[in-house]
Amino acid sequence: MFGARTLNRHAALMNRMAEVLGVDLTEAMAKGQLSGEGWREAVVRCTSCDDPTACQHWLAGHDGDEGAAEAPDYCNNRLMMARLRQAIELE
């Protein structure tokens, strides 16, 4: 099992990824587009990332700009983020 430090690190990376993609995870949960269980599963998926440092660099490269259209190919939550972004765009 993962320690609290690892889970917190990946929860922060995942939340930052969502922010860069224009996805509000709290709002998605409030609207029923993402369950609490789905969020927890996404954090665990993030912990299995082969290179979280690459993610940190990718996110740093998107600071201060207009965000990104999609998560990088290596993101374990790429499909979930795309689904949530599409739900936002359809509103």
Side-chain angles (χ1 to χ4, degrees):
M1 191 43 101
F2 306 103
R5 185 174 178 187
T6 298
L7 291 172
N8 288 339
R9 177 184 183 205
H10 286 274
L13 286 171
M14 190 180 79
N15 288 334
R16 179 69 181 118
M17 180 68 70
E19 183 180 302
V20 166
L21 297 173
V23 174
D24 184 330
L25 295 176
T26 303
E27 184 176 340
M29 290 177 78
K31 291 181 175 181
Q33 298 165 336
L34 178 66
S35 67
E37 180 66 25
W39 182 86
R40 284 187 296 277
E41 289 172 358
V43 171
V44 171
R45 258 192 317 274
C46 187
T47 63
S48 68
C49 177
D50 292 333
D51 193 359
T53 302
C55 182
Q56 289 175 311
H57 290 294
W58 187 89
L59 290 168
H62 289 85
D63 279 342
D65 66 8
E66 295 184 19
E70 57 188 20
D73 291 338
Y74 55 81
C75 180
N76 292 343
N77 286 309
R78 179 181 172 89
L79 295 176
M80 180 196 76
M81 294 294 182
R83 177 182 57 81
L84 293 173
R85 185 173 173 133
Q86 183 178 32
I88 290 168
E89 291 171 355
L90 293 174
E91 291 180 345

